[in-house]
Amino acid sequence: GAVVSQHPSWVICKSGTSVKIECRSLDFQATTMFWYRQFPKQSLMLMATSNEGSKATYEQGVEKDKFLINHASLTLSTLTVTSAHPEDSSFYICSARGLAGADTQYFGPGTRLTVL
Amino acid sequence: QKEVEQNSGPLSVPEGAIASLNCTYSDRGSQSFFWYRQYSGKSPELIMFIYSNGDKEDGRFTAQLNKASQYVSLLIRDSQPSDSATYLCAVTFTGGGNKLTFGTGTQLKVEL
């Protein structure tokens, strides 16, 4: 139980293009999903918290117009990196928290984004 | 600034030994504590969580929580080479809205 999927697992794009990453909870309903970014040899940095049906809450320093988050259902959240640049290249990981899961977060497998 | 501190390691232990991983946190009111394992290039995988003072055992893993000392640890018994990974301690802080704050992780190497 508590399986979270992400798609795509990796993506390479040209500078200036937009990339959409999907995060799905497969066997539970996720009231809250979180988006993290991880640079090599660093820990996870929370980008935003996404609640179903409401606007995402972004962490300080994260540009909400650049990283668009949509949480349209209890099983799907999307992160769109708009006008991507090489400095946006990173490992993007989502996690999901279920209705009865207290604070426990289950992580998706991550999406490795490379911007050329 | 609410912080979670871990020794980055690497911590090297021989196969079959007990590995002890430690974590301290700054917010005395923290309620929930998690240990995740992350293999290189992969996302974190939940090992266990603990909410109450004392020990919690799950197979070869034991989490220990001491709220008075603001300290949480993870013991891995009978360490195996497959346990070699980075172990992340995560804490939810009071008023944090269920957000996890992660330590930088401890790299564990189990040697044959």
Side-chain angles (χ1 to χ4, degrees):
Chain A
V3 178
V4 178
S5 70
Q6 268 184 257
H7 178 81
S9 56
W10 59 269
V11 57
I12 302 173
C13 70
K14 292 182 178 180
S15 185
T17 60
S18 294
V19 174
K20 180 185 282 188
I21 302 170
E22 291 186 350
C23 177
R24 294 181 184 271
S25 56
L26 298 184
D27 53 359
F28 68 102
Q29 292 183 321
T31 52
T32 306
M33 289 183 170
F34 303 85
W35 287 95
Y36 295 84
R37 181 166 53 180
Q38 187 176 35
F39 292 106
K41 300 194 181 300
Q42 295 186 23
S43 192
L44 283 79
M45 296 300 298
L46 179 65
M47 299 175 67
T49 302
S50 168
N51 290 297
E52 185 265 339
S54 62
K55 290 183 178 180
T57 301
Y58 291 82
E59 294 300 298
Q60 192 172 9
V62 177
E63 299 175 61
K64 63 180 181 180
D65 294 331
K66 180 170 184 62
F67 299 100
L68 302 178
I69 292 172
N70 183 277
H71 193 161
S73 75
L74 284 172
T75 60
L76 173 64
S77 176
T78 60
L79 167 68
T80 301
V81 183
T82 63
S83 187
H85 289 94
E87 57 266 30
D88 298 322
S89 299
S90 188
F91 192 39
Y92 291 86
I93 313 171
C94 73
S95 70
R97 173 178 166 268
L99 289 171
D103 299 331
T104 305
Q105 293 182 26
Y106 299 93
F107 284 85
T111 297
R112 192 161 301 282
L113 170 63
T114 302
V115 184
L116 302 176
Chain B
Q1 184 77 9
K2 297 183 176 178
E3 297 179 340
V4 178
E5 301 278 350
Q6 292 182 258
N7 188 318
S8 61
L11 171 66
S12 294
V13 299
E15 184 179 7
I18 296 175
S20 178
L21 305 163
N22 305 316
C23 173
T24 59
Y25 57 94
S26 61
D27 181 12
R28 184 173 291 277
S30 295
Q31 297 294 318
S32 307
F33 308 86
F34 302 83
W35 283 100
Y36 287 87
R37 176 175 62 196
Q38 186 175 26
Y39 292 110
S40 180
K42 304 294 185 181
S43 68
E45 170 191 10
L46 179 68
I47 297 176
M48 59 194 308
F49 56 85
I50 185 167
Y51 300 141
S52 304
N53 273 329
D55 295 358
K56 179 181 179 181
E57 187 174 317
D58 184 359
R60 295 188 295 114
F61 300 98
T62 298
Q64 299 175 317
L65 175 61
N66 184 325
K67 290 187 177 182
S69 299
Q70 295 174 228
Y71 176 96
V72 58
S73 65
L74 179 71
L75 301 179
I76 307 174
R77 290 182 298 281
D78 188 24
S79 296
Q80 301 297 309
S82 58
D83 294 326
S84 298
T86 296
Y87 289 80
L88 301 169
C89 171
V91 177
T92 57
F93 289 112
T94 50
N98 300 315
K99 294 188 296 186
L100 290 178
T101 299
F102 284 86
T104 53
T106 298
Q107 184 184 5
L108 173 66
K109 293 184 177 181
V110 181
E111 299 167 335
L112 296 169

